[in-house]
Amino acid sequence: MVNNPPLRDGPGHFVPPHPAALANFFPQLEIYSLLGVGGMGVVYKARQRGLDRMVALKILPPQISTEPTFAERFAREAQALARLSHPNVVTVIDLGQSGSVYYFLMEFVDGVNLRQMLQAGKLAPRDALDLILQICEALEYAHGEGVVHRDIKPENILVDKKGRVKIADFGLSKLLGVARPDLQLTQSNQVMGTMHYMAPEQIDQPLAVDYRADLYSLGVVFYEMLTGELPLGRFELPSRKSAVDSRVDELVLRLLERNPNRRCQQASEIRLQLEAIAGVTSKLSPEVSRKLSYEYRSRAEVFGLPDRKSTRLNSSHLVI
């Protein structure tokens, strides 16, 4: 019988436990396989026995249990995250502590993350624009609920087989309150985020970060989606590297303003500008449609993709 999962292998190392080592901690689950490993913890694909549905089990890094204030912070912040309910945000089903293990039980998103999509090849501009629009909707909702993500990056942007964006790990940087081991950052309990995607103020004034930091990160992701590159140093405008409307250049540059007061101030502002720039066009590119194994049924389209206000009623929701 396994009493404790082997989460550590030397100082600072987070070794994912074998699914069998977690059985006693989660008898309500049938844990199948490891989905991913990162500074936020490890994620497993599992089946919830009682409801016979697939779920994702995230186990938080073991070192957090040694922090004297973590239990109180977990109770406060995690419950706030669990209240988030939006089609473009990964749903938290349950959370808590089992033995020494802190965990989240979340909806299982059957698809890929944006990093995997980018590695498969640069996205067509119309596909990139639709994904950004969905991300804006998620950020607009979360910011309205008082939750800042602090780590928007391709790995945390999931796309299911129906083409829907699902943002994962909302608010976990604040909850964990540590500089994660996969980042070359400074000062535990202060700097939170991922290098190259972080807003300047996340490094300079990490305790004063607000929702505008997410908008800077969104600008980095947007640029990378359009060009296949990160906006480092003296970078080219997106329209010079991609067949995108040149009016997008100004929007991307505003998102990447170092001074948050000169940046776009709200996700809704970005969404409305993109809708005004793009207007109404044709349909989802065949390549992305094939990759996601999905055909939209709506005729109402934005950026070459169906308007989600129509597809939400016409398409079947992923059962998780």
Side-chain angles (χ1 to χ4, degrees), residues 176-201:
L176 296 184
V178 295
R180 306 200 319 270
D182 57 330
L183 312 178
Q184 296 179 356
L185 303 178
T186 61
Q187 293 194 9
S188 174
N189 298 311
Q190 291 192 2
V191 177
M192 296 170 285
T194 300
M195 192 63 73
H196 300 319
Y197 295 92
M198 293 171 59
E201 64 267 25

Side-chain angles (χ1 to χ4, degrees), residues 47-282:
R47 182 177 69 88
Q48 201 172 14
R49 300 180 193 272
L51 296 176
D52 190 25
R53 64 176 176 182
M54 301 307 298
V55 293
L57 171 67
K58 175 181 279 291
I59 295 175
L60 301 185
Q63 62 267 29
I64 60 175
S65 62
T66 63
E67 297 178 18
T69 63
F70 180 77
E72 178 183 352
R73 192 165 71 248
F74 183 85
R76 181 179 65 252
E77 300 291 348
Q79 289 175 17
L81 302 184
R83 285 195 293 269
L84 294 180
S85 178
H86 188 274
N88 298 121
V89 176
V90 171
T91 301
V92 175
I93 298 169
D94 192 16
L95 55 91
Q97 180 181 7
S98 179
S100 61
V101 178
Y102 286 91
Y103 69 92
F104 283 91
L105 197 63
M106 306 174 295
E107 70 171 296
F108 173 72
V109 179
D110 190 8
V112 297
N113 65 40
L114 181 56
R115 176 66 67 204
Q116 292 168 316
M117 294 183 72
L118 292 174
Q119 289 173 342
K122 191 167 66 174
L123 293 173
R126 60 186 179 184
D127 299 327
L129 292 171
D130 178 77
L131 295 177
I132 286 293
L133 180 60
Q134 295 188 59
I135 297 169
C136 284
E137 291 182 359
L139 292 177
E140 185 177 350
Y141 166 77
H143 294 167
E145 296 295 313
V147 178
V148 181
H149 193 290
R150 292 177 172 80
D151 198 18
I152 292 293
K153 61 181 179 180
E155 288 79 1
N156 284 333
I157 299 168
L158 312 181
V159 184
D160 72 15
K161 290 184 176 180
K162 293 184 177 181
R164 291 174 298 207
V165 164
K166 297 274 190 176
I167 299 184
D169 285 354
F170 250 107
L172 279 191
S173 286
K174 181 180 180 183
L175 173 62
L176 296 184
V178 295
R180 306 200 319 270
D182 57 330
L183 312 178
Q184 296 179 356
L185 303 178
T186 61
Q187 293 194 9
S188 174
N189 298 311
Q190 291 192 2
V191 177
M192 296 170 285
T194 300
M195 192 63 73
H196 300 319
Y197 295 92
M198 293 171 59
E201 64 267 25
Q202 285 183 269
I203 299 175
D204 300 334
Q205 296 178 304
L207 300 181
V209 165
D210 61 23
Y211 53 85
R212 293 174 296 181
D214 284 347
L215 303 186
Y216 180 93
S217 301
L218 177 65
V220 178
V221 170
F222 195 5
Y223 186 90
E224 186 175 12
M225 290 168 67
L226 292 171
T227 69
E229 302 173 1
L230 290 170
L232 303 176
R234 295 175 61 86
F235 55 87
E236 292 276 4
L237 295 173
S239 64
R240 295 183 181 176
K241 301 182 72 67
S242 175
V244 68
D245 192 307
S246 60
R247 288 175 292 175
V248 172
D249 293 342
E250 181 181 356
L251 179 57
V252 171
L253 291 177
R254 286 190 62 210
L255 286 169
L256 295 175
E257 281 281 1
R258 295 187 61 83
N259 184 340
N261 294 323
R262 298 178 60 186
R263 203 174 296 155
C264 293
Q265 298 295 294
Q266 297 181 0
S268 59
E269 176 186 349
I270 305 164
R271 175 177 56 79
L272 291 172
Q273 287 188 47
L274 286 176
E275 289 175 345
I277 290 171
V280 178
T281 52
S282 56

